[in-house]
């Protein structure tokens, strides 16, 4: 990347804005990982005890997974909210320069007419 600036076209507009920059967590990822860890914890705890012969291991695991996965998602959500609050405290406000340059039509494609239809060849 070089430090030379390219001149803007005559119809380009520019402006300066103040924006807040921060690193925010992806809450969905926290929920999925929390649910998965809740399932793993349920699997470990369920396998430590002998399964009821009338019900079976798979049914017991499925039943207790309802609680384990829900608890894992809840813990993941709380952790995501805490990290999000921490990231808000570390947010910085900076000044940015905005440039709007009109898009040029791609080479080889016909320009659209005023009604939006492309001319047929």
């Amino acid at each position: 990347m070089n430090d030379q600036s390219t001149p803007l076209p005559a119809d380009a507009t520019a402006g300066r804005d103040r924006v807040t920059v921060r690193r925010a967590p992806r809450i969905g990822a926290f929920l999925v990982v929390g649910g998965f860890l809740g399932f793993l914890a349920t699997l470990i705890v369920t396998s430590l005890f002998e399964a009821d012969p009338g019900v079976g291991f798979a049914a017991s695991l499925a039943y207790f997974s309802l609680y384990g996965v829900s608890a894992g998602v809840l813990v993941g959500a709380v952790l995501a909210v805490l990290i999000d609050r921490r990231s808000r405290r570390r947010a910085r406000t900076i000044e940015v320069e905005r440039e709007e340059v009109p898009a040029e039509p791609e080479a080889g494609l016909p320009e659209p007419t005023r009604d939006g239809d492309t001319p047929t060849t």
Side-chain angles (χ1 to χ4, degrees), residues 21-27 30 80 83-88:
V21 179
R22 68 182 180 102
R23 293 185 54 159
R26 297 191 181 268
I27 295 178
F30 277 87
I83 292 174
D84 186 48
R85 283 192 180 168
R86 182 177 177 194
S87 73
R88 286 180 194 259

Side-chain angles (χ1 to χ4, degrees), residues 31-91:
L31 299 178
V32 169
V33 170
F36 180 71
L37 292 176
F39 175 76
L40 284 180
T42 303
L43 177 65
I44 292 170
V45 170
T46 305
S47 64
L48 290 177
F49 299 101
E50 188 174 330
D52 184 12
V55 177
F57 178 76
S60 297
L61 176 63
Y63 177 74
F64 288 116
S65 290
L66 294 173
Y67 297 107
V69 171
S70 300
V73 168
L74 180 65
V75 169
V78 168
L79 188 61
V81 167
L82 291 176
I83 292 174
D84 186 48
R85 283 192 180 168
R86 182 177 177 194
S87 73
R88 286 180 194 259
R89 278 190 259 140
R90 291 185 173 194

